[in-house]
Amino acid sequence: MRIVAQYLLFAAITATGCGQQSLTPADFAAQRQRMVEQQLKPRGIKEERVLAAMAKVPREEFVPADERGDAYEDGPLPIGFDQTISQPYIVAFMTEQLRLKPSDRLLEIGTGSGYQAAVLAELVADVYTIEIVEPLAKTAGATLQRLGYKNVHLRVGDGYQGWPEEAPFDAIIVTCAPDKVPEPLVDQLKDGGRMVIPVGERFAQQLYLLEKKNGQLKESATLPVRFVPMVRETQKK
């Protein structure tokens, strides 16, 4: 009986120790590098600046504390309010499609946790990002500020309308899915600019790349995807 009791006590201590085990910054850095080598490069992400940004931005800082151990897994993670942080590959793919330059000004619709904005902030001069869920916006803003991303400008609002006061933008990225491309975003894209946006119903979406040339849009489908639907101001109530 004593042996059984000692075994159970040991098992309880071991389980407690495992549950409390925390990863160090070096552990997370190693996981980031593995993510780049095993998830991104084999799937065709080639742009060195994008790979460097993905290897630098601490994804674990943008997920809930109880999800940190899975921060570099090959999939999306919940961040609350029925929203998610996208799969690392999708973040890298969308970013690479934009062909960003260091001087670019970019608009992001759907800040979420702020992770995509941080990756973009490594690559462009300014990121203007809009989030309709106020608690998410506050958390993302605090995280971005704590990590020193001074070139990210965040506002709470309806992303469908874009940010006309700061338009036009060299690039636009949308991380939630409307049923059609919002006309205000097309209007706010510079001539020569590029937009990546998922479009469609919840379980039948395509990721589109739109290129604006001489006022006309060239549209091409790139990937089947599954993003959370775009929420409009009128739907919040």
Side-chain angles (χ1 to χ4, degrees):
M1 189 70 175
R2 179 177 296 178
I3 294 174
V4 173
Q6 288 175 340
Y7 173 80
L8 291 173
L9 178 61
F10 175 76
I13 292 171
T14 303
T16 301
C18 287
Q20 292 179 347
Q21 185 178 9
S22 59
L23 296 170
T24 67
D27 293 329
F28 284 124
Q31 288 186 11
R32 274 197 297 281
Q33 196 57 48
R34 280 196 297 273
M35 173 192 72
V36 169
E37 297 298 331
Q38 297 176 11
Q39 297 179 35
L40 306 185
K41 288 183 178 180
R43 288 175 174 149
I45 305 300
K46 297 177 181 177
E47 188 180 337
E48 289 299 327
R49 294 178 68 234
V50 174
L51 292 170
M54 295 295 292
K56 178 180 178 181
V57 176
R59 184 176 163 90
E60 72 275 8
E61 298 288 345
F62 294 91
V63 301
D66 60 352
E67 300 283 356
R68 284 192 165 196
D70 296 324
Y72 296 98
E73 293 298 313
D74 187 19
L77 291 171
I79 57 173
F81 304 93
D82 296 320
Q83 305 296 303
T84 60
I85 180 173
S86 293
Q87 175 188 12
Y89 168 69
I90 292 296
V91 172
F93 180 84
M94 293 176 73
T95 302
E96 187 175 63
Q97 290 291 302
L98 291 172
R99 298 180 189 171
L100 298 170
K101 301 186 295 292
S103 59
D104 283 348
R105 297 170 70 256
L106 177 145
L107 175 65
E108 179 193 33
I109 306 303
T111 313
S113 69
Y115 176 65
Q116 174 78 77
V119 171
L120 296 165
E122 297 285 343
L123 301 170
V124 300
D126 286 286
V127 176
Y128 295 83
T129 181
I130 304 174
E131 174 57 55
I132 198 168
V133 181
E134 188 169 358
L136 279 180
K138 287 182 176 179
T139 300
T143 302
L144 290 162
Q145 184 176 30
R146 175 167 52 81
L147 295 175
Y149 287 102
K150 296 181 180 179
N151 61 333
V152 178
H153 316 281
L154 190 155
R155 73 189 292 182
V156 178
D158 187 342
Y160 192 95
Q161 301 300 330
W163 199 325
E165 310 94 284
E166 296 294 343
F169 299 97
D170 299 287
I172 297 176
I173 184 169
V174 183
T175 61
C176 47
D179 56 4
K180 61 181 180 180
V181 178
E183 197 61 36
L185 299 186
V186 175
D187 293 342
Q188 291 170 37
L189 184 64
K190 268 186 185 178
D191 202 67
R194 296 161 71 89
M195 182 193 310
V196 288
I197 179 171
V199 178
E201 302 297 327
R202 181 182 286 269
F203 298 113
Q205 300 167 5
Q206 281 285 337
L207 187 66
Y208 286 92
L209 170 64
L210 308 178
E211 300 178 80
K212 194 174 190 180
K213 293 182 179 179
N214 300 318
Q216 301 296 313
L217 280 183
K218 177 187 174 185
E219 181 181 289
S220 54
T222 58
L223 280 179
V225 290
R226 183 179 295 182
F227 279 82
V228 296
M230 177 179 280
V231 177
R232 300 294 312 280
E233 191 67 42
T234 53
Q235 297 171 300
K236 289 175 65 179
K237 299 179 181 179

